[in-house]
Amino acid sequence: GLGGAAFPTRVKLSLKPEQHPEILIINGCECEPYLMCDDSLMCTYPGRVVEGVELMMKAAGIDRAVIAVEDNKPEAAKALVDALDTAYDIKVEILKTKYPQGGEKQLIEAVTGRRVGSGELPISVGVVVHNVATAFAVWQAVATSMPLIERVVTVTGDIATEQRRNYIAAIGTPLSEFPFTLPDEARVVVGGPMMGKTATRLDAPVTKGTSGITVLGQTRRRPVQACIRCGACMDACPMGLEPYLLSTYGRMQMWAEARSAMVADCLECGACSYSCPSSRPLLDYIRLAKQRIRK
């Protein structure tokens, strides 16, 4: 799977006899700022993406599919509409551009109006969700017998305009091989500015989950201050969680309490940290709690 969680595609498509999905949703929202790898894929290879969707429908026994695209990608939406085959019940749905629209549960609610419960999978509401890049990879696997050995990577950020491009890169390519020049005191983020993680070394390889390389030049993190109990992180959380509380549990190593407070439901979208006026590293501690609970 080439979505954010890199969940195995075969597991999503190999359904149990008692599972009866009604709709396949293809995630083409790409709500992370700066990134355009899925956008470029939809614009360049719309026919192959649509054929990949048809193959997924056949594999999972699903009769209806929706390709969800945000309204800031009109060229991609038009290209997909022109590539649709009338023999299949597939439609392109334009959604409002907002973050984090690309989250699986948020996308399902936006398209179908159904809500996936805490700890539940999309199949519990009759939905299967795949990324648009996964649909393209499925087409490659079936039509050309090509395994997953490459993906589209966006290179962007505080670099020269002519260096901001989308590349088809072999998985395993070191980050240092991409043609961009780092400004002084810049840091390289693998992914986008909201959910990406800082690269500690540039000989790290591209993985199947590497959607982009974002260069941020001379950024200074504001000093961390005491929580002022403003509730901004709660208002920003798309899952309705209490980030300030989950972060405290992570900082205090209270793993059982974090589990009870549904820390596993966190999308790691970073909206809480971004909205905090005290610049508290909320997501860092929430991620720590999630990792310990998984172990």
Side-chain angles (χ1 to χ4, degrees), residues 52-91:
V53 176
E54 294 168 359
L55 290 166
M56 286 181 170
M57 294 172 68
K58 182 176 180 180
I62 303 175
D63 297 325
R64 183 164 67 100
V66 172
I67 305 176
V69 183
E70 288 187 324
D71 57 13
N72 64 345
K73 302 175 179 62
E75 296 88 355
K78 182 180 184 304
L80 290 170
V81 170
D82 293 342
L84 293 180
D85 186 342
T86 55
Y88 293 84
D89 185 4
I90 304 174
K91 73 172 185 176

Side-chain angles (χ1 to χ4, degrees), residues 208-268:
K208 71 173 184 176
T210 305
S211 54
I213 300 172
T214 306
V215 179
L216 301 178
Q218 296 189 357
T219 55
R220 294 286 190 275
R221 194 166 190 171
R222 293 177 299 176
V224 177
Q225 298 176 327
C227 175
I228 60 174
R229 305 294 191 271
C230 65
C233 60
M234 295 175 58
D235 294 337
C237 181
M239 295 301 297
L241 301 175
E242 298 174 295
Y244 73 92
L245 183 62
L246 296 175
S247 174
T248 299
Y249 287 152
R251 180 168 54 86
M252 302 295 291
Q253 301 184 16
M254 300 169 68
W255 315 129
E257 290 81 358
R259 181 186 289 108
S260 299
M262 305 301 179
V263 69
D265 286 349
C266 172
L267 298 177
E268 300 185 28

Side-chain angles (χ1 to χ4, degrees), residues 4 47 51 70 76 108 148 153 163 167 178 183 188 191 194 203 262:
E51 288 182 25
E70 288 187 324
I108 291 172
L148 184 59
V153 178
Q163 295 178 349
Y167 296 91
F178 287 88
V188 176
M194 294 296 289
D203 59 354
M262 305 301 179

Side-chain angles (χ1 to χ4, degrees), residues 2 11 69 73 77 95 152 160 173 182-183 189 201 203 215 234 237:
L2 294 172
V11 176
V69 183
K73 302 175 179 62
L95 302 179
V152 181
T173 302
L182 279 178
V189 175
R201 46 194 296 175
D203 59 354
V215 179
M234 295 175 58
C237 181

